[in-house]
Amino acid sequence: KQEVTQIPAALSVPEGENLVLNCSFTDSAIYNLQWFRQDPGKGLTSLLLIQSSQREQTSGRLNASLDKSSGRSTLYIAASQPGDSATYLCAVGETSGSRLTFGEGTQLTVNP
Amino acid sequence: SAVISQKPSRDICQRGTSLTIQCQVDSQVTMMFWYRQQPGQSLTLIATANQGSEATYESGFVIDKFPISRPNLTFSTLTVSNMSPEDSSIYLCSVGRTGPKGYTFGSGTRLTVV
């Protein structure tokens, strides 16, 4: 059974810092990995999708990497802003169109 | 990517009653997923809904408590039956098709049972 772990559970940083969120998964036979953002009480906003054949994806200040063989992914946020404050969730899909298995999330606070 | 309209966005319900949550997708999709997110926790899959067949439930979830309908390829409902305060959660639907930005989720239904 796939298990997804995210470290740290919570992170508080001053504005402007670069930061890294970590995600690990137990079964490396994944189809893709996705990072989401969730604001309090809200739904999920997709940030980045990495297919199993890819090593990284970038969108603006966000960069996500994938090391499938070691079962790890990182989300790098450059020049953090208070508007980045949210919970970041990592999820893996094991086949095309399959259900996702989620990590517990990292709650990020960026202080002005 | 598909666009999902989910409603209601939130509701406060009395214990013992039922609430039906709707998800409408702007394109045809084979599979839809229903997730629950309890306070302070991550998402847990409730069931997978394919059009034309019975939903497949995950361990710990049963059809009598969470009946699901999937009448066509663009619509699904999840009912939370005989609610108790422990059912207070955010419920989200998702489609089983990956667009360029990945899986799409509805905006969620925040349920409070009193």
Side-chain angles (χ1 to χ4, degrees):
Chain A
K1 177 187 173 185
Q2 180 74 268
E3 293 182 2
V4 181
T5 304
Q6 291 186 245
I7 295 173
L11 182 63
S12 181
V13 301
E15 181 176 4
E17 267 203 13
N18 302 324
L19 56 99
V20 175
L21 308 181
N22 297 289
C23 172
S24 62
F25 44 95
T26 54
D27 186 346
S28 62
I30 64 169
Y31 186 79
N32 53 33
L33 183 145
Q34 192 164 353
W35 284 92
F36 294 90
R37 169 189 172 134
Q38 185 176 33
D39 293 291
K42 304 292 186 181
L44 274 63
T45 300
S46 175
L47 297 174
L48 290 164
L49 169 71
I50 309 177
Q51 302 292 351
S52 62
S53 59
Q54 298 174 321
R55 297 283 294 181
E56 66 177 347
Q57 283 286 334
T58 298
S59 176
R61 294 183 294 109
L62 305 179
N63 176 276
S65 67
L66 174 64
D67 185 341
K68 187 179 164 184
S69 60
S70 68
R72 294 182 179 181
S73 176
T74 61
L75 178 66
Y76 176 83
I77 302 177
S80 58
Q81 303 170 358
D84 294 330
S85 298
T87 295
Y88 290 80
L89 294 162
C90 165
V92 300
E94 296 179 18
T95 61
S96 175
S98 71
R99 44 93 57 91
L100 294 176
T101 302
F102 281 85
E104 295 289 325
T106 294
Q107 185 173 352
L108 173 65
T109 303
V110 181
N111 301 300
Chain B
S1 299
V3 175
I4 304 175
S5 175
Q6 181 174 346
K7 58 182 180 182
S9 58
R10 59 173 58 215
D11 207 341
I12 300 174
C13 300
Q14 297 291 322
R15 69 174 65 204
T17 63
S18 297
L19 175 72
T20 296
I21 303 166
Q22 300 180 3
C23 276
Q24 177 75 52
V25 189
D26 69 343
S27 58
Q28 295 184 338
V29 293
T30 303
M31 289 194 290
M32 293 183 71
F33 303 99
W34 287 96
Y35 292 85
R36 180 177 74 180
Q37 186 178 30
Q38 294 177 299
Q41 298 190 24
S42 192
L43 280 74
T44 300
L45 183 67
I46 297 172
T48 302
N50 289 332
Q51 192 271 334
S53 63
E54 293 285 330
T56 302
Y57 289 82
E58 297 296 304
S59 176
F61 298 96
V62 295
I63 187 171
D64 290 346
K65 176 67 175 177
F66 297 101
I68 288 171
S69 78
R70 186 80 204 276
N72 57 53
L73 291 172
T74 63
F75 188 78
S76 180
T77 68
L78 169 76
T79 299
V80 186
S81 303
N82 188 25
M83 288 184 286
S84 66
E86 291 71 34
D87 294 320
S88 298
S89 298
I90 297 174
Y91 293 84
L92 301 107
C93 62
S94 175
V95 298
R97 187 176 70 206
T98 308
K101 293 203 72 176
Y103 289 73
T104 305
F105 280 76
S107 55
T109 297
R110 188 168 195 171
L111 171 64
T112 303
V113 184
V114 297

